[in-house]
Amino acid sequence: MPRPTALLLGTIGHARKEWESLSEIAELKEITTGTRESVIQDFKDGKYDGVVAIYRTYDSAQITGRFDKDFVSQLPSSVRFLCHNGAGYDQIDIEPCTARGILVAHTPGAVNNATANIAMMLILQALRKTYIAETSLRKGTWRGQLPLGHDPDGKVLGILGLGGIGVALSTRAKAFGMSLIYHNRREAAHNPAGAEYVADLAQFLGRCDVLSIHLPLTEVTRHYLGKKELLGLKKGAVLVNTARGAVIDEAALVEVLEAGHLGSVGLDVYEEEPKIHEGLIKREDVVLFPHIGTFTIETQKKMEVLVVDNVCSALTRGKLLTVVPEQKGKEAEIQENR
Ligand SMILES: O=CC(=O)O
């Protein structure tokens, strides 16, 4: 029996040893450079025929672009599993994968604490406007025009999307004395900090002193918060986003900021990364991080190991450990699409 082949698309920084240990059960191939066109040509030329499972990094989108319908249709017919390194998998269109019988894994859980830490950090920094404090000090003007900040204690934190990261944030925010509400499509089964469920979005937004976004980016959640919703926040409210930039209409956010409606904003994600809206860059009441939610040695390792474990499970048992929600429970049916 020929050994199956696994393909690494992108680079591994922390679980190289774990990836290489897969050579005991599979042939390993790698794509670390190239363009969408060159990769598609290699697929056509049969260079990756026999690949059963793909390990895909977030940054590999710089090589291939999105795994959209067109790209998925060009994959070798042997591909059965796509293992993505990231909790968010908006770079992958799930429907064409399902139609081709390809199961997709992501890395939920592994990202929760690190991303919640960045969200909490942004909340505190936005409340204190630390950007003004630090730039003023570095300019040699000590506190300069730094306004007094706000304490988190007693403020209402609205968590939009109480999933794994939202829960991790809720326990942190509770320790800072914040009062917690959340909005989901349905009441959450896991809510250890006892956040209050608010079913109506407009009512939810109207109660937030601080709003933190934890929704995945899908066609439904793209521009979920537009001008109307942002104006539905209290005047002076703080908005933090560590999920995906396009969940907010960024141009509307700048407009609402310029109108003086929001107190401050903390962002780790943007609509067109790495491009940042000029209207955000120039504002001093906005804290901006370059998408570093999971940017720690421990979390990067945890995520990479989980992807390798998914590839291993796919090759040895024909099953993924952390299949995406759209395919969960339908794996056998999807595999029959082949
Ligand atoms: O943005 C980070 C992730 O999706 O894991």
Side-chain angles (χ1 to χ4, degrees), residues 58 84-90 107 111 115 242-244 269 291 293-294 303:
Y58 184 85
H84 170 70
N85 187 10
Y89 48 93
D90 45 288
T107 61
V111 306
T115 310
T242 53
R244 284 293 182 268
V269 288
H291 200 152
T294 62
M303 292 167 74

Side-chain angles (χ1 to χ4, degrees), residues 283-317:
R283 293 195 70 89
E284 291 202 311
D285 52 0
V286 175
V287 182
L288 303 173
F289 291 166
H291 200 152
I292 53 168
T294 62
F295 212 63
T296 69
I297 292 169
E298 296 82 359
T299 294
Q300 290 294 316
K301 170 113 196 220
K302 239 192 302 180
M303 292 167 74
E304 291 186 356
V305 167
L306 179 53
V307 188
V308 172
D309 287 348
N310 265 295
V311 172
C312 183
S313 171
L315 296 174
T316 55
R317 303 187 308 125

Side-chain angles (χ1 to χ4, degrees), residues 5-299:
T5 305
L7 171 65
L8 169 60
L9 183 49
T11 53
I12 293 186
H14 305 272
R16 189 80 216 167
K17 198 164 61 59
E18 288 80 355
W19 166 256
E20 281 167 6
S21 74
L22 292 177
S23 63
E24 287 169 22
I25 53 168
E27 298 295 328
L28 302 182
K29 294 191 175 176
E30 298 189 17
I31 298 176
T32 52
T33 55
T35 61
R36 183 171 174 102
E37 291 68 34
S38 70
V39 171
I40 289 176
Q41 193 55 50
D42 285 344
F43 288 160
K44 286 192 173 131
D45 294 344
K47 194 162 167 193
Y48 299 105
D49 281 2
V51 165
V52 174
I54 299 177
Y55 176 135
R56 175 190 187 279
T57 69
Y58 184 85
D59 287 342
S60 70
Q62 287 163 15
I63 304 174
T64 65
R66 299 187 72 251
F67 265 57
D68 54 12
K69 192 172 176 194
D70 168 55
F71 193 79
V72 171
S73 75
Q74 314 272 359
L75 293 172
S77 61
S78 51
V79 174
R80 296 175 57 202
F81 303 96
L82 178 57
C83 304
H84 170 70
N85 187 10
Y89 48 93
D90 45 288
Q91 294 174 333
I92 302 167
D93 286 342
I94 301 301
E95 240 179 70
C97 292
T98 301
R100 277 199 68 174
I102 298 172
L103 293 174
V104 183
H106 65 139
T107 61
V111 306
N112 292 354
N113 289 344
T115 310
N117 289 343
I118 285 290
M120 197 65 228
M121 209 183 293
L122 281 172
I123 291 170
L124 296 173
Q125 292 209 17
L127 285 169
R128 290 291 191 97
K129 297 199 171 74
T130 52
Y131 174 77
I132 301 176
E134 188 168 349
T135 46
S136 175
L137 174 145
R138 286 182 193 270
K139 274 194 301 206
T141 54
W142 194 230
R143 289 188 192 126
Q145 299 302 310
L146 178 68
L148 284 173
H150 291 283
D151 294 321
D153 315 65
K155 300 290 183 306
V156 174
L157 169 64
I159 299 177
L160 184 54
L162 193 73
I165 299 169
V167 164
L169 174 63
S170 71
T171 55
R172 285 156 175 74
K174 191 172 181 178
F176 280 92
M178 299 188 87
S179 150
L180 305 168
I181 61 174
Y182 76 97
H183 175 80
N184 277 12
R185 273 174 305 177
R186 281 179 293 279
E187 219 163 313
H190 185 54
N191 179 10
E196 178 195 342
Y197 179 52
V198 184
D200 182 81
L201 179 65
Q203 273 180 23
F204 165 77
L205 293 173
R207 284 179 59 189
C208 296
D209 295 311
V210 179
L211 170 65
S212 188
I213 298 172
H214 301 283
L215 293 179
L217 177 63
T218 65
E219 279 321 303
V220 176
T221 62
R222 183 173 296 279
H223 287 191
Y224 195 73
L225 297 182
K227 191 167 170 189
K228 176 169 148 253
E229 289 73 27
L230 294 170
L231 287 173
L233 287 164
K234 285 182 196 171
K235 188 164 165 58
V238 170
L239 170 65
V240 164
N241 189 7
T242 53
R244 284 293 182 268
V247 172
I248 306 177
D249 177 344
E250 214 167 69
L253 174 61
V254 170
E255 233 184 283
V256 168
L257 267 167
E258 282 171 358
H261 187 69
L262 297 177
S264 51
V265 167
L267 301 175
D268 187 40
V269 288
Y270 308 88
E271 254 197 89
E272 287 179 55
E273 292 175 15
K275 217 170 91 192
I276 319 279
H277 197 299
E278 255 321 293
L280 294 172
I281 295 269
K282 66 178 190 212
R283 293 195 70 89
E284 291 202 311
D285 52 0
V286 175
V287 182
L288 303 173
F289 291 166
H291 200 152
I292 53 168
T294 62
F295 212 63
T296 69
I297 292 169
E298 296 82 359
T299 294

